[in-house]
């Protein structure tokens, strides 16, 4: 009997599309992900995930196509590679109504919606779900996405994170500052629905946004939804260290995960947060067998469906005429504007020969994959936990089958070892993850609590106050 371990958080990594990560698998006879427009697929999956006490359904999203902006895009359409894809935020509304416990997380890029409207949508969902909403904050790598929203092209990398800084600042003001605690009264006797002295305009004026307020929704159970982030660059990690409560890793080894966790936590501490204020989720997929031979046979079967074109195209290894580079092309000959860092990162383990496009695709397809019996897989998962990982982002091969197998074959072993919970704690998603409902006082959003109670009463007053602050050298 081994000692029980700390439980790991479990996210189901999903997308409202056919081919999210494991390209080509949608063609399998048991795959239903191409029915992603059918609500029954998602409500059935949510039931499976609640039975398996997953913490959250985490939906990725895009705002445009991968690849260089002027390139032919037919490979994406052919592969069902994130096109067609539907809006995850709308889907969360349906799932809020059909689930009780599981967290519901949607990705939204900072340029795709005005922050006032986006914050309102998430507050509405947080009310309807009784506090189970999370937001994965992304800044995007798709030039086509920027063009879809009225911009010339992909903004410069660090500029994207400056944009994100202002965007989250607006949402924090709305979520945390616009309504004081106790503002909503619903007092029938006095005919006083809410106390006007506790509802404030925010008068935000920044480089990109001008937002007056007050926020239209009253505070939801979590106020600010749980904040997820997945940047890996310097600017991305810095943003995560300041803002994120959960960070997604796709580290190729537990040692690399350990390094990334240590770096991000140290940065968070430099911003006045505590190491435990950020949790880390490693992305892994599983091929589960009764015995090692059976597991390998299953993995070989999955490999038959791997679309090398799909993986290469996801990383934008596509020439300007829309042709995926042949599999034997050396990676150094690939011309791509968007995915250079990603390619280099994936190829860096191949040191004994010239890495090719084919290596890249298989490396990606197998990189996050753990093949074995439940006991072997649980051993591997403990290695990630020993490296400091707090949770798993479970990548699926097929919907809903990968999660049914997870629940039926792997979960009993994880529960036996204490690695997975057997029942849900009560309360909001943040309470389930961290033990409290609202962002803690160390988070930068907390500075807006009560900040507008004696705030400006007009734009003129707001601007005068801003000038005074600038003159005092306070940023
Ligand atoms: C697990 C995981 C999930 C991600 N999901 C999305 C997503 O849904 N949409 C998106 O535009 N980017 C997504 N990304 C990309 C990141 O948010 C980020 O834009 C990318 O890693 C580049 O960040 P960087 O420039 O800081 O390295 C994801 C990354 C990871 C590791």
């Amino acid at each position: 009997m081994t000692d029980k371990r700390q439980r790991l958080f479990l996210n189901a990594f999903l997308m409202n599309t056919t081919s999210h990560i494991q390209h080509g698998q949608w063609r399998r006879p048991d795959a239903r992900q191409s029915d992603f427009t059918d609500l029954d697929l998602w409500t059935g999956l949510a039931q499976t995930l609640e039975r398996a006490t997953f913490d959250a359904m985490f939906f990725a999203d895009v705002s445009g196509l991968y690849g260089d902006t002027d390139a032919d895009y037919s490979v994406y359409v052919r592969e069902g590679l994130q096109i067609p894809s539907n809006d995850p935020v709308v889907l969360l509304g349906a799932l809020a109504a059909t689930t009780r416990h599981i967290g519901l997380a949607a990705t939204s890029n900072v340029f795709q919606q005005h922050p006032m409207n986006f914050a309102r949508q998430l507050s509405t969902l947080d009310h309807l779900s009784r506090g189970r909403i999370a937001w994965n904050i992304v800044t995007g790598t798709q030039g086509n996405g920027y063009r879809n929203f009225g911009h010339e092209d992909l903004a410069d990398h660090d500029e994207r994170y400056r944009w994100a800084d202002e965007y989250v600042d607006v949402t924090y003001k709305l979520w945390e500052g616009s309504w004081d605690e106790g503002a909503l009264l619903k007092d029938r006797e006095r005919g006083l629905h809410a106390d006007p002295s506790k509802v404030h305009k925010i008068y935000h004026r920044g480089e990109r946004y001008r937002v007056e307020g007050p926020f239209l929704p009253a505070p939801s159970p979590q106020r600010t939804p749980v904040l997820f982030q997945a940047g890996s660059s310097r600017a991305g990690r810095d943003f995560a260290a300041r803002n994120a409560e959960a960070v997604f890793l796709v580290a190729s080894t537990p040692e690399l995960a350990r390094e990334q966790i240590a770096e991000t936590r140290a940065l968070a501490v430099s911003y006045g947060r505590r190491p435990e204020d950020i949790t880390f989720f490693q992305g892994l997929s599983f091929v589960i067998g009764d015995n090692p031979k059976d597991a390998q046979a299953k993995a070989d079967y999955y490999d038959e469906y791997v679309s090398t074109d799909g993986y290469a195209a996801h990383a934008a290894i596509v020439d300007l005429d829309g042709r995926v580079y042949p599999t034997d092309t050396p990676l150094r000959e690939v011309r791509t504007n968007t995915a250079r860092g990603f390619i280099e990162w994936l190829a860096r383990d191949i040191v004994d020969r010239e890495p090719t496009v084919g290596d890249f695709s298989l490396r990606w397809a197998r990189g996050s994959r753990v093949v074995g019996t439940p006991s072997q897989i649980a051993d591997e998962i403990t290695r990630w936990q020993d490296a400091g990982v707090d949770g798993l982002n479970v990548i699926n091969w097929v919907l809903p089958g990968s999660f049914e197998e997870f629940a039926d074959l792997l979960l009993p072993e994880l529960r036996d070892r204490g690695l997975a919970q057997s029942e849900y704690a009560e309360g909001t998603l943040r309470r389930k993850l961290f033990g409290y409902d609202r962002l803690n006082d160390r988070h930068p959003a907390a500075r807006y609590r009560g900040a507008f109670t004696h705030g400006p009463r007009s734009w003129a007053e707001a601007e005068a106050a801003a000038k005074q602050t600038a003159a005092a050298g306070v940023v």
Side-chain angles (χ1 to χ4, degrees):
M1 183 71 200
T2 45
D3 283 342
K4 291 269 179 181
R5 284 176 162 256
Q6 171 86 17
R7 75 131 174 150
L8 285 165
F9 300 125
L10 292 177
N11 271 345
F13 194 33
L14 303 163
M15 188 166 172
N16 203 355
T17 193
T18 291
S19 200
H20 173 204
I21 303 275
Q22 303 294 19
H23 304 300
Q25 301 292 324
W26 66 274
R27 298 171 298 153
R28 271 169 51 183
D30 57 333
R32 280 205 58 211
Q33 52 262 44
S34 54
D35 298 336
F36 70 92
T37 53
D38 182 350
L39 183 56
D40 289 348
L41 171 72
W42 299 112
T43 53
L45 177 64
Q47 271 171 9
T48 301
L49 293 169
E50 286 205 319
R51 173 165 64 85
T53 52
F54 266 66
D55 290 278
M57 299 173 81
F58 164 30
F59 286 90
D61 195 28
V62 286
S63 338
L65 300 165
Y66 289 87
D68 291 343
T69 30
D70 289 317
D72 180 292
Y73 54 85
S74 46
V75 58
Y76 300 98
V77 177
R78 251 191 342 263
E79 295 278 332
L81 203 167
Q82 308 191 2
I83 178 172
S85 64
N86 286 351
D87 188 330
V89 172
V90 177
L91 177 56
L92 292 201
L95 293 173
T98 52
T99 55
R100 297 291 305 169
H101 304 286
I102 198 162
L104 301 168
T107 298
S108 186
N109 200 311
V110 297
F111 66 73
Q112 78 184 69
Q113 276 209 69
H114 191 282
M116 176 80 179
N117 198 52
F118 177 67
R120 188 178 188 216
Q121 286 178 339
L122 287 210
S123 289
T124 306
L125 286 170
D126 203 52
H127 278 297
L128 296 177
S129 66
R130 299 188 177 88
R132 291 185 284 132
I133 299 300
W135 171 27
N136 179 36
I137 310 165
V138 299
T139 56
T141 50
Q142 292 142 344
N144 174 247
Y146 275 78
R147 289 190 182 183
N148 284 338
F149 289 86
H151 307 284
E152 283 285 309
D153 210 336
L154 194 64
D156 160 74
H157 183 266
D158 288 0
E159 174 56 26
R160 302 204 288 271
Y161 279 104
R162 278 195 295 280
W163 191 334
D165 279 337
E166 186 184 350
Y167 193 93
V168 296
D169 202 44
V170 176
T171 62
Y172 295 161
K173 287 176 181 174
L174 294 168
W175 281 323
E176 299 291 329
S178 185
W179 287 64
D180 294 340
E181 286 302 309
L184 188 66
L185 299 168
K186 299 187 197 173
D187 185 334
R188 290 168 197 249
E189 296 285 303
R190 288 191 288 162
L192 192 59
H193 192 259
D195 178 350
S197 71
K198 294 186 172 172
V199 180
H200 314 290
K201 293 189 174 181
I202 62 163
Y203 294 108
H204 172 91
R205 182 176 206 161
E207 205 181 312
R208 293 181 186 273
Y209 300 105
R210 191 180 156 113
V211 180
E212 184 163 294
F215 194 33
L216 290 171
S220 65
Q222 302 184 111
R223 282 189 179 251
T224 300
V226 174
L227 300 170
F228 290 177
Q229 211 265 342
S232 53
S233 62
R234 212 172 128 78
R237 283 187 205 188
D238 191 74
F239 183 87
R242 284 178 285 120
N243 296 285
E245 299 177 273
V247 167
F248 298 112
L249 307 173
V250 276
S252 52
T253 64
E255 288 62 42
L256 289 172
R258 187 193 298 278
E259 273 172 36
Q260 195 168 336
I261 291 168
E263 277 173 30
T264 310
R265 288 205 158 126
L267 258 180
V269 168
S270 77
Y271 288 117
R273 301 180 75 200
R274 290 196 188 141
E276 67 272 20
D277 288 345
I278 311 187
T279 50
F280 292 84
F281 288 69
Q282 167 68 17
L284 292 177
S285 62
F286 302 104
V287 185
I288 314 162
D290 292 335
N291 55 59
K293 216 173 132 212
D294 173 45
Q296 192 50 52
K298 250 173 146 173
D300 294 343
Y301 171 68
Y302 292 13
D303 275 352
E304 285 171 29
Y305 286 90
V306 162
S307 163
T308 31
D309 269 15
Y311 289 94
H314 193 161
I317 307 183
V318 179
D319 73 15
L320 288 178
D321 298 321
R323 286 184 298 258
V324 176
Y325 285 86
T327 46
D328 57 356
T329 314
L331 281 175
R332 72 185 146 77
E333 287 175 18
V334 169
R335 298 278 161 263
T336 169
N337 289 332
T338 48
R340 176 60 38 204
F342 189 44
I343 293 174
E344 281 164 10
W345 173 78
L346 266 174
R348 73 180 184 183
D349 297 348
I350 302 173
V351 286
D352 54 338
R353 62 197 157 78
E354 179 81 44
T356 63
V357 167
D359 288 329
F360 170 86
S361 291
L362 270 185
R363 174 85 185 70
W364 193 2
R366 293 181 185 160
S368 65
R369 181 174 90 169
V370 187
V371 183
T373 63
S375 156
Q376 288 174 318
I377 293 175
D379 287 347
E380 176 64 15
I381 288 174
T382 58
R383 280 191 274 280
W384 288 96
Q385 188 181 44
D386 290 342
V389 160
D390 305 285
L392 302 179
N393 214 16
V394 179
I395 299 168
N396 69 83
W397 299 90
V398 290
L399 290 182
S402 294
F403 291 108
E404 288 168 354
E405 283 198 355
F406 187 99
D408 295 336
L409 307 178
L410 181 58
L411 193 63
E413 178 75 26
L414 298 182
R415 283 180 172 163
D416 266 2
R417 297 192 191 195
L419 284 165
Q421 64 181 356
S422 305
E423 54 188 43
Y424 284 108
E426 283 305 312
T428 62
L429 177 60
R430 184 173 285 114
R431 180 166 289 280
K432 291 188 177 90
L433 298 178
F434 297 99
Y436 44 84
D437 293 325
R438 302 277 166 84
L439 280 170
N440 68 38
D441 292 344
R442 299 177 290 279
H443 193 278
R447 69 182 181 276
Y448 293 124
R449 292 176 185 151
F452 302 102
T453 310
H454 306 289
R457 296 276 165 263
S458 66
W459 280 108
E461 272 185 41
E463 268 143 37
K467 270 196 198 124
Q468 237 178 15
T469 314
V474 186
V475 199

